[in-house]
Structures are given as structure tokens and as C-alpha cells.
């Protein structure tokens, strides 16, 4: 075993794990590691402007590549600033390895400068965390951390490294060829239950696939198998926000996103189906609406690598614990070996019903020649960028839902959004992480002005590393989703849901050294978008949109899938007291 | 949990778990959790219970395998069958957790708790406390002229019953370990 300092070990272990990029911010307790980073060229360090940005950038990197994202921050405030990002990654199952500096072991517990109980604070927001007290165990812990972050249901892990452990010399252990960790989640599904599901698929009259982020996390093979399964069976497919792109939006079995702001046909198909096949989704409350009335007449299959997801919210008739890729492979093989049967006559009728629902044209909106409708802005963005090698990030709010509705994703790993935690300020740093991983691609952050301001300091990072990220801000001078809920739920009392002192985004862009574009007239929109696309550098695109547009369709809180609101006319008294207490 | 169409009834001691999933009857279960004995593991388990709003009625923990560095945490918890199932699943997916056994579901088991009970009593009450202690097979481990400390092991109910009988005789103070439990047989 080679002897080296703890700081050196960190760099060596990261290299051995195949890490090429670290997002971080230096400080007193990580200086030895930064000194090692300075003396090598294999790992690129991206200096962010705030530790929350480091984690979101690493999430963008991870979600767009399938590789774990790595974060390096200092003790105390460095670690506490990372907490939101770690929680976000935990909720959305993103593999992150976060390294934090800590005060030296002999000062722990003394309220030292920049000391915080990092493992205590981050215990609930990581999949696993460690405080390393001996240099000899450091490299082994880092290898174990990568194993845990990336296997089973992925998630963030954190290693807290006191400064004296970084300086001290110890024995480096190499990455084990086969993980010796006792943490080895089951990937193969139970063949009996898979066979039972195949039998149900053969006779189902109104089947539907309901897929989620688990398909994307499972990897490219799982996405291929899903496409093969959908095409071979001819069953309709809908997806959660996190799962967009695993089945192509231009595929003819695609119903669009489901859920609170999902498409009418997708939600009604979920409500009316007789066999629901949940693949890597978790029956989130944005999806189910009122539990008691969730898809009342269906048998439900649930494929999930996390056993605790199954039967957590919705009872599964076919509970299948396993990796989506492995389970789909077995499912397809068994279905084929039994003669590729479906109840095609009934499924054809089912499709006829779905086509009826599609005629509602639930995404239609009232066009305007005077103001840019946010939906129109996204339609034009889609039209002008869909043939690019394109990655989309979002912030959180109305713009996020419109982006999910109006932009089409034909491939996985192209859509980075904060689903579970709903973190405003996610998109800007995430777009930076994506652009770092895909230097030649078009990376757009669809944002609202309020969310965007939450991590706008990261424009400095974009300019420093010459990252041509496009910040596409739908500016309604409102916290649009909050405003929408206040209109529907709180008697149009718009308590603190607008900003009176927004910056001039064009000047702001110039102050950062980026390009600013402002557009307010629908006639100028296409030219402005083209100007944004043609500029080789970061752009802040300030798109002034209709201020009071609401996002529809909408399943109000506490309602079922078949109680959707489709437009303004239906909103009066739509949400009752029972729904108002929900979020 | 099963795709078989077995009618669901309510039997927590059947070989099959046939309890209704959506029943709102609150049950008390004893969970035996084998964990890696590493710093913070207890905080992790307790954090799960507080963070997700589960109940802890009793908790004991100690290292049970010194060479393998394993600890056994015994938790008595209460909840609907769905919540109990969820607690077990949430525990099982924690990285330092090796094994979770729901002793209440898995069959007959032995539950024992140790208690130290100090009784302040004089005169006839003092004699009576000794008589009751004999019936409950509690040992005297400390004595002054005005007090005894009794040591007893048994089910939590037995300890409760003993303490209830002591209270009319004098002031009672108590320290309890919480339940340790183990499945019967092999």
C-alpha cells in the first residue's frame, strides 16, 4: 500500500473513480485538498459562486451524463450552504459525492471557527455520510461512497474530512475490483410476479405505462427496453416530470406528462385504466391527487429498486423490487416467450377513447398579438431549437410546468429539473454543470425571473469558464405559481407574490460580461431567439410575458384525476377547504 | 404484498401476512434491527422515526457482536399495518442496517425488560413491599432504613404491574432499560 497524505488520497481516489470534474469552492478547512488539485491536471475544478450552486451544477452534470457528480466545499457555512442541493439530490435520486472540509479532529466539539456538525446536519439529507477520523480509512471510505451513491436507488453521499486528516500520512487503498460493501441492492425482479404481470398484460383491456425517473437512472439500456416494450405491446405511455425523455415525445404511444399539470388525456387514461404499470416512479402526491380516488378500477404493478417505495402510498398488486433495466429485460423475454399476446381488440378501443380525450386540446391557450404568452414563447423556443443537440434545465414554478408541456424530449438525460424538492434556483447552476459535461451542446435554462434571481451569482461561473448557457427567462414580474394559487385559493389576495424592484436583465448580463437580450413584442420573438442561439457565449434572455397567465390543465389539491381544471372558466370555487390545506 | 388473491383478514400471527393493507387499526410491533456499530448509527435510526413521524414506545441498543462490530437495536413501535410495513422497508434500505425482523409478525418471541425500582417506605408498608417483591421475583439490590431498590426483569406489563402495586406503599422511582426481544426457537 502506498503511503500518502489524506489530501493526496482524495485526489487519487477521485481519479481512480474516473472523476474528471469537481464543482467546488475553497475555504480554510479544505486548503490541503485544493493544494493537491492545483498540482495536477487530470481533474478539472469548476469554481462556483455559492456552495448551493456547486451541488446543483454537479446534479446537472450527473443527470445529463449518468455519472456521479462530485462536490468539494469547506467546513461550516460551506457545508450548510450545500444542504439544499443535497436534499434536492436525495428527493430526485441523483448520485452526488460531496466532500466537505472539517475543523481538525482535536478541535471538533469546541465551537471552532467555521465548525458545524456536518454529518449531523446532513444525515437526513444524504443517503449515507461519514466523518473520517483516520487517514488510513479515507480512501476506502471514498470508494465506498461512490459505490453507495451510484448503486441501488442513487442519491447523495457526504464525506466530512477534518483538516488534520488531510495533512496526515496514511496508507492508500485502491478501488476494490468487486465491492466488498454489504450494501448490494437487489437488481433482479421476482420472476413469478413478473410472469403474473405478463399474464395481466395479455388480457388487459385498458393498460397504461406510467414511467418515472427510475427508467432514466437505470441507464440507456433500460430506455431502449422501455421503447421496445411500448412499441411491441402498443400500450399508451405517460411519464412523470422526472421521467420525460425515456420514451420519445414524438413517439405515437406518447400521451404526454401526467399529474397536477399533466395532460388531460394522460390523467384520464390513468383514472380509467384497468392495468397500470408503474416503471420507476413513486406515486408522488403531484401524480396521484386524492389517494382515495386514484385510478379506482385498475390493478397496479410497481417496478422500483427501492422496496420502501412500494406500497408506501398506493397498494401494488404486482410489487416488483428490482432495477428497471433488469426487470424490463425479463418482462420482455417472458412476454415474447408466451407468444407476444395482447388483447388487441380491447386495446384498440382504449386508444379510440384516448383519441377522444385528445380532442379536448388541453394545452390550447388564448393567443395574443399584443403580449407574449409564455406558452407561445416556449412553442417558438421548441420550434427553433428542436433540431439542436439540446439540453433543457428549468427553475421551479409555472415556467417549469409549461416547459414540460410544450417542449418535446426524445432522449433521456436531456431534461434537468428539480422535481421532488422543487428548488427555485436550481436551473442556472444545473445548466452550468450540463454545459461543462457537454461543451458543444445547446444548453438552455428555462426560468422565471424570481427563481432565476435565487442563484444568479452563477452567471459569474458561466462567464469565467466561457460556458454559452442560455438563460431563457419568462419574466412576468410575479411569482407566477404562487400568484396562481392565491387567485384560486386565497380570494385573489396576492400577498407578496410580485417583485417591485427587478433588475434590468440586459444591464445585469452586461455587468457579468454576458449578453443580454430583452423582448416584449411577439413579432420580435423569433429574431430574438435566433440572436440568442447565434451568440457564442452566455446569454440572459429577458422575455417579458403576460403577467397573469395561469398554468392549465390543473388538478386542484385534494381532487382526483378526473376533476381537472382546463381553463379560467372552471376555476371559481374549484378548491375547497379540504384541498386548501394541501400543498 | 402477494399477487395471489388471498382474502385479507386480520391475523398478526399467521404464517402469511394477511392483514389488510389499508386497515386503520393501530398495532404495536417489536422490531429487532441488526446494525453496523459505527458512529451515528443510532442517530440515523432515530432520525428516521422522528423525521417521518413514526412512534417509538421503547428503544434499547447495545453491541452484540464485538468482533463483527454489530449492534442490535430493539424498537417497540406502533402504527397501522401500512405504517409498520413502511417502517420496516425504510429501515432495511438504510446503508448501515444489516437485518430487520418484525418479531410481532414473524411469530412467537420473548420480550424482556430490566427495571430498577426504588421504593421509599416505612413500617408495615416496607414489609409489604418486600412481600410483593418476592411474589414478582424482584431482587433487593440496595437498602437503606427508608428505601429499597428492587431489580426485576420481565415483560413491560409485569414491570408496570409491580410499580402500580408499590405506589400506594410509598414514593416510587424507576429506571427501565426498554425492551430486548428475540424470536423463539431456531
Amino acid at each position: 500500500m502506498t503511503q500518502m497524505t489524506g489530501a493526496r488520497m482524495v485526489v487519487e481516489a477521485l481519479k481512480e473513480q474516473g472523476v474528471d470534474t469537481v464543482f467546488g469552492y475553497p475555504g480554510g478547512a479544505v486548503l490541503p485538498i485544493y493544494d493537491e488539485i492545483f498540482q495536477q491536471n487530470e481533474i478539472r475544478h469548476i469554481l462556483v459562486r455559492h456552495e448551493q450552486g456547486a451541488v446543483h451544477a454537479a446534479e446537472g452534470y450527473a443527470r445529463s451524463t449518468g455519472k456521479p457528480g462530485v462536490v468539494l466545499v469547506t467546513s461550516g457555512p460551506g457545508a450548510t450552504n450545500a444542504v439544499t442541493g443535497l436534499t434536492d439530490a436525495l428527493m430526485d435520486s441523483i448520485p452526488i459525492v460531496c466532500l466537505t472540509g472539517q475543523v481538525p479532529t482535536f478541535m471538533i466539539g469546541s465551537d471552532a471557527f467555521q465548525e458545524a456538525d456536518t454529518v449531523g446536519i446532513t444525515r437526513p439529507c444524504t443517503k449515507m455520510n461519514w466523518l473520517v477520523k483516520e487517514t488510513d480509512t479515507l480512501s476506502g471510505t471514498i470508494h465506498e461512497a461512490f459505490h453507495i451513491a451510484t448503486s441501488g436507488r442513487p442519491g447523495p453521499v457526504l464525506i466530512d474530512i477534518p483538516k488534520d486528516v488531510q495533512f496526515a500520512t496514511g496508507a492508500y487503498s485502491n478501488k476494490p475490483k468487486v465491492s466488498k460493501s454489504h450494501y448490494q441492492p437487489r437488481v433482479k425482479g421476482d420472476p413469478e410476479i413478473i410472469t403474473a404481470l405478463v399474464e395481466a398484460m395479455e388480457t388487459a383491456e385498458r393498460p397504461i405505462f406510467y414511467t418515472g425517473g427510475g427508467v432514466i437512472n437505470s441507464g440507456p439500456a433500460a430506455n431502449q427496453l422501455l421503447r421496445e416494450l411500448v412499441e411491441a405491446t402498443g400500450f399508451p405511455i405517460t411519464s412523470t416530470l422526472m421521467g420525460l425523455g425515456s420514451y420519445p415525445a414524438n413517439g405515437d404511444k406518447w400521451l404526454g406528462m401526467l399529474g397536477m399539470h399533466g395532460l388531460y388525456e394522460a390523467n384520464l387514461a390513468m383514472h380509467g385504466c384497468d392495468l397500470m404499470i408503474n416503471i420507476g416512479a413513486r406515486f408522488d402526491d403531484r401524480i396521484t391527487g386524492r389517494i382515495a380516488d386514484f385510478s379506482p378500477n385498475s390493478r397496479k404493478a410497481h417496478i422500483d429498486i427501492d422496496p420502501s417505495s412500494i406500497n408506501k402510498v398506493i397498494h401494488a398488486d404486482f410489487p416488483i423490487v428490482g432495477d428497471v433495466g433488469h426487470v424490463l429485460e425479463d418482462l420482455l423475454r417472458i412476454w415474447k416467450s408466451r407468444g407476444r399476446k395482447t388483447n388487441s381488440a380491447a386495446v384498440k378501443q382504449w386508444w379510440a377513447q384516448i383519441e377522444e380525450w385528445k380532442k379536448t386540446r388541453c394545452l390550447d391557450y388564448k393567443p395574443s398579438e399584443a403580449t407574449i404568452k409564455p406558452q407561445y414563447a416556449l412553442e417558438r423556443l421548441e420550434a427553433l431549437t428542436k433540431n439542436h443537440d439540446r439540453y433543457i434545465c428549468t427553475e421551479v414554478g409555472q415556467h417549469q410546468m409549461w416547459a414540460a408541456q410544450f417542449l418535446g424530449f426524445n432522449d433521456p438525460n436531456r431534461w434537468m429539473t428539480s422535481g421532488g424538492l422543487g428548488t427555485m434556483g436550481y436551473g442556472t447552476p444545473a445548466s452550468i454543470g450540463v454545459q461543462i459535461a457537454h461543451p458543444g451542446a445547446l444548453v438552455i435554462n428555462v426560468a422565471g425571473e424570481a427563481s432565476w434571481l435565487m442563484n444568479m451569482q452563477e452567471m459569474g461561473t458561466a462567464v469565467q469558464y466561457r460556458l454559452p448557457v442560455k438563460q431563457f427567462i419568462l419574466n412576468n414580474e410575479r411569482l407566477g405559481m404562487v400568484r396562481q394559487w392565491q387567485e384560486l385559493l386565497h380570494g385573489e389576495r396576492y400577498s407578496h407574490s410580485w417583485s417591485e424592484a427587478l433588475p434590468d436583465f440586459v444591464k445585469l448580463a452586461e455587468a457579468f460580461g454576458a449578453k443580454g437580450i430583452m423582448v416584449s413584442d411577439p413579432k420580435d420573438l423569433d429574431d430574438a431567439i435566433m440572436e440568442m442561439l447565434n451568440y457564442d457565449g452566455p446569454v440572459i434572455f429577458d422575455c417579458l410575458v403576460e403577467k397573469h397567465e395561469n398554468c392549465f390543465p390543473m388538478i386542484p389539491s385534494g381532487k382526483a384525476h378526473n376533476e381537472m381544471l382546463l381553463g379560467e372558466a372552471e376555476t371559481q370555487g374549484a378548491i375547497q377547504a379540504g384541498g386548501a390545506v394541501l400543498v | 404484498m402477494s399477487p395471489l388473491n388471498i382474502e385479507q383478514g386480520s391475523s398478526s400471527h399467521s404464517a402469511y401476512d394477511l392483514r389488510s393493507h389499508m386497515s386503520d387499526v393501530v398495532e404495536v410491533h417489536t422490531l429487532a434491527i441488526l446494525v453496523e456499530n459505527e458512529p451515528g448509527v443510532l442517530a440515523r435510526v432515530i432520525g428516521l422515526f422522528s423525521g417521518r413521524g413514526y412512534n417509538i414506545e421503547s428503544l434499547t441498543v447495545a453491541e452484540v457482536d464485538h468482533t463483527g462490530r454489530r449492534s442490535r437495536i430493539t424498537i417497540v413501535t406502533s402504527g397501522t399495518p401500512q405504517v409498520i410495513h413502511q417502517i420496516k422497508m425504510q429501515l432495511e434500505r438504510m446503508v448501515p442496517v444489516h437485518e430487520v425482523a418484525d418479531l410481532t409478525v414473524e411469530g412467537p418471541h420473548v420480550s424482556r425488560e430490566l427495571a430498577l425500582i426504588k421504593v421509599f417506605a416505612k413500617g408495615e408498608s416496607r414489609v409489604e413491599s418486600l412481600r410483593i417483591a418476592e411474589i414478582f421475583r424482584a431482587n433487593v439490590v440496595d437498602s437503606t432504613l427508608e428505601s429499597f431498590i428492587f431489580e426485576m426483569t420481565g415483560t413491560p406489563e409485569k414491570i408496570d404491574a409491580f410499580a402500580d402495586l408499590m405506589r400506594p406503599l410509598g414514593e416510587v422511582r424507576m429506571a427501565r432499560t426498554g425492551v430486548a426481544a428475540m424470536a423463539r426457537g431456531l
Side-chain angles (χ1 to χ4, degrees):
Chain A
M1 288 203 194
T2 326
Q3 294 284 317
M4 61 179 81
T5 65
R8 182 76 187 280
M9 271 183 199
V10 170
V11 173
E12 287 304 316
L14 292 182
K15 284 182 194 168
E16 231 194 320
Q17 289 290 340
V19 173
D20 52 23
T21 309
V22 171
F23 299 90
Y25 202 100
V30 278
L31 284 176
I33 300 174
Y34 270 86
D35 200 30
E36 288 295 334
I37 286 178
F38 186 81
Q39 300 175 52
Q40 56 83 50
N41 288 317
E42 286 165 65
I43 295 173
R44 188 181 186 200
H45 179 274
I46 305 297
L47 176 69
V48 294
R49 297 297 182 269
H50 184 287
E51 289 87 350
Q52 184 190 351
V55 187
H56 292 325
E59 286 185 275
Y61 176 94
R63 191 131 184 100
S64 66
T65 60
K67 295 196 286 183
V70 182
V71 175
L72 175 60
V73 295
T74 194
S75 63
T80 55
N81 278 346
V83 164
T84 300
L86 294 170
T87 311
D88 190 272
L90 185 73
M91 292 287 269
D92 285 346
S93 308
I94 313 291
I96 297 290
V97 176
C98 180
L99 306 166
T100 52
Q102 182 55 280
V103 300
T105 49
F106 53 84
M107 292 179 82
I108 289 177
S110 71
D111 296 325
F113 178 63
Q114 293 197 329
E115 181 186 357
D117 175 11
T118 301
V119 286
I121 290 167
T122 59
R123 203 172 279 128
C125 63
T126 53
K127 189 174 170 187
M128 185 64 191
N129 64 13
W130 301 264
L131 170 64
V132 177
K133 287 183 171 168
E134 284 148 17
T135 309
D136 281 335
T137 61
L138 178 55
S139 50
T141 304
I142 296 175
H143 296 312
E144 170 83 353
F146 274 87
H147 168 71
I148 287 171
T150 54
S151 50
R153 180 173 178 177
V157 299
L158 180 142
I159 309 172
D160 200 24
I161 314 171
K163 198 172 182 182
D164 55 333
V165 173
Q166 299 171 32
F167 273 125
T169 301
Y172 180 83
S173 40
N174 287 98
K175 178 186 175 185
K177 292 212 167 51
V178 183
S179 169
K180 282 172 284 186
S181 169
H182 82 90
Y183 181 76
Q184 303 292 350
R186 173 174 166 181
V187 293
K188 294 287 277 184
D190 181 336
E192 273 183 46
I193 306 179
I194 296 176
T195 308
L197 172 58
V198 169
E199 284 171 22
M201 286 166 64
E202 289 167 349
T203 55
E205 296 177 357
R206 301 182 308 281
I208 188 166
F209 290 113
Y210 146 49
T211 62
V215 185
I216 292 169
N217 276 337
S218 181
N223 290 281
Q224 266 330 106
L225 287 163
L226 175 72
R227 290 164 186 222
E228 191 187 339
L229 182 66
V230 172
E231 296 311 328
T233 55
F235 296 171
I237 176 170
T238 178
S239 164
T240 66
L241 182 74
M242 294 306 293
L244 297 178
S246 55
Y247 181 83
N250 59 12
D252 61 354
K253 309 293 181 294
W254 176 239
L255 301 187
M257 182 176 77
L258 81 160
M260 184 174 268
H261 293 286
L263 271 66
Y264 182 76
E265 49 269 33
N267 283 333
L268 283 197
M270 286 287 280
H271 190 81
C273 69
D274 72 343
L275 178 65
M276 178 187 297
I277 305 164
N278 171 346
I279 309 175
R282 61 181 175 91
F283 294 112
D284 180 89
D285 57 73
R286 303 291 97 166
I287 297 303
T288 58
R290 188 166 66 233
I291 300 278
D293 294 310
F294 175 69
S295 192
N297 301 314
S298 63
R299 287 194 292 167
K300 297 171 187 76
H302 191 173
I303 302 169
D304 201 307
I305 198 157
D306 179 1
S308 74
S309 281
I310 295 176
N311 289 324
K312 180 171 72 175
V313 185
I314 298 291
H315 172 66
D317 301 282
F318 305 96
I320 302 172
V321 177
D323 167 62
V324 167
H326 285 83
V327 173
L328 288 185
E329 199 181 347
D330 290 345
L331 184 69
L332 258 170
R333 199 192 58 246
I334 295 170
W335 180 71
K336 285 176 183 169
S337 71
R338 289 167 55 99
R340 299 166 164 266
K341 283 176 286 197
T342 60
N343 186 350
S344 52
V347 173
K348 205 173 158 196
Q349 271 193 335
W350 177 225
W351 270 110
Q353 169 67 69
I354 290 168
E355 293 304 328
E356 280 302 308
W357 288 328
K358 281 186 179 176
K359 286 181 190 158
T360 307
R361 301 186 55 82
C362 66
L363 294 183
D364 280 0
Y365 59 92
K366 210 182 283 173
S368 164
E369 284 182 11
T371 59
I372 300 177
K373 289 280 187 157
Q375 300 96 323
Y376 177 71
L378 287 165
E379 277 180 341
R380 294 316 303 156
L381 184 71
E382 168 75 356
L384 296 171
T385 63
K386 67 179 174 190
N387 295 323
H388 285 69
D389 176 18
R390 181 187 78 177
Y391 293 81
I392 301 283
C393 300
T394 75
E395 305 286 347
V396 170
Q398 286 181 323
H399 69 272
Q400 178 191 28
M401 294 298 109
W402 281 316
Q405 292 170 344
F406 287 89
L407 303 181
F409 299 94
N410 296 326
D411 291 297
N413 307 100
R414 297 284 176 154
W415 164 249
M416 273 53 63
T417 194
S418 171
L421 194 64
T423 311
M424 293 170 72
Y426 168 89
T428 310
S431 69
I432 285 167
V434 175
Q435 190 82 72
I436 290 284
H438 309 276
L442 171 62
V443 181
I444 302 171
N445 176 32
V446 176
E449 82 292 344
S451 282
W452 193 83
L453 287 173
M454 282 204 180
N455 267 328
M456 68 165 194
Q457 77 285 347
E458 298 305 331
M459 277 313 281
T461 311
V463 171
Q464 176 169 344
Y465 294 95
R466 302 173 198 281
L467 305 172
V469 288
K470 313 302 181 198
Q471 305 298 322
F472 192 78
I473 301 173
L474 298 174
N475 184 351
N476 59 1
E477 301 170 15
R478 302 285 184 281
L479 310 185
M481 195 60 95
V482 171
R483 195 207 60 78
Q484 177 168 343
W485 280 56
Q486 287 171 337
E487 182 185 326
L488 298 178
L489 279 160
H490 295 277
E492 301 180 44
R493 290 180 296 280
Y494 298 122
S495 182
H496 299 273
S497 56
W498 78 94
S499 318
E500 283 184 351
L502 287 170
D504 177 328
F505 285 97
V506 174
K507 282 187 184 157
L508 187 64
E510 285 161 6
F512 273 114
K515 183 181 176 64
I517 299 171
M518 197 273 278
V519 61
S520 57
D521 189 327
K523 287 192 288 296
D524 302 334
L525 183 60
D526 276 22
D527 287 348
I529 292 175
M530 288 313 295
E531 189 187 354
M532 172 183 89
L533 297 177
N534 291 331
Y535 182 73
D536 183 22
V539 176
I540 299 177
F541 189 93
D542 184 17
C543 184
L544 302 182
V545 297
E546 165 65 45
K547 299 188 199 319
H548 301 109
E549 192 72 13
N550 283 335
C551 182
F552 292 108
M554 177 181 184
I555 303 177
S557 297
K559 296 275 185 170
H561 278 176
N562 58 347
E563 299 171 287
M564 300 189 85
L565 307 179
L566 288 170
E568 302 291 351
E570 302 179 6
T571 57
Q572 287 303 319
I575 301 176
Q576 287 126 18
V581 300
L582 303 171
V583 289
Chain B
M1 273 301 284
S2 137
L4 305 170
N5 278 326
I6 302 173
E7 199 176 339
Q8 286 169 341
S10 175
S11 158
S12 63
H13 290 288
S14 162
Y16 299 95
D17 182 7
L18 300 179
R19 293 162 305 139
S20 165
H21 294 277
M22 297 301 166
S23 159
D24 50 10
V25 178
V26 172
E27 300 176 351
V28 176
H29 283 234
T30 306
L31 305 177
I33 309 154
L34 195 62
V35 298
E36 198 89 22
N37 186 13
E38 59 184 25
V41 68
L42 183 61
R44 208 173 287 280
V45 169
I46 292 172
L48 172 75
F49 278 75
S50 61
R52 292 187 184 260
Y54 306 143
N55 299 316
I56 296 181
E57 303 204 341
S58 141
L59 179 144
T60 61
V61 55
E63 191 167 84
V64 291
D65 174 358
H66 297 303
T67 47
R69 303 204 24 85
R70 301 285 162 80
S71 290
R72 172 92 61 194
I73 301 175
T74 310
I75 293 184
V76 179
T77 183
S78 61
T80 61
Q82 196 198 5
V83 167
I84 301 277
H85 177 73
Q86 185 59 208
I87 291 173
K88 185 164 183 274
M89 293 293 122
Q90 291 287 353
L91 285 168
E92 274 176 350
R93 76 170 181 155
M94 296 184 113
V95 174
V97 169
H98 287 266
E99 196 184 294
V100 183
D102 183 342
L103 298 176
T104 307
V105 166
E106 287 174 13
H109 63 279
V110 179
S111 290
R112 289 291 180 274
E113 189 175 5
L114 185 142
L116 295 173
I117 300 133
K118 186 183 277 182
V119 181
F120 296 89
K122 286 183 185 166
E124 186 49 37
S125 294
R126 184 173 161 81
V127 181
E128 184 61 22
S129 72
L130 269 182
R131 246 180 249 141
I132 295 171
E134 202 178 335
I135 295 166
F136 276 78
R137 283 181 230 148
N139 299 320
V140 177
V141 290
D142 179 66
S143 175
T144 68
L145 291 174
E146 280 143 31
S147 71
F148 288 120
I149 296 178
F150 297 107
E151 169 208 55
M152 71 179 295
T153 57
T155 60
E157 294 76 22
K158 180 181 164 184
I159 293 168
D160 287 341
F162 181 72
D164 288 345
L165 283 173
M166 288 294 161
R167 275 193 192 95
L169 305 178
E171 188 190 337
V172 171
R173 291 182 198 166
M174 191 155 45
R176 299 171 72 152
T177 59
V179 171
M182 198 170 257
R184 285 182 190 274
L186 293 175

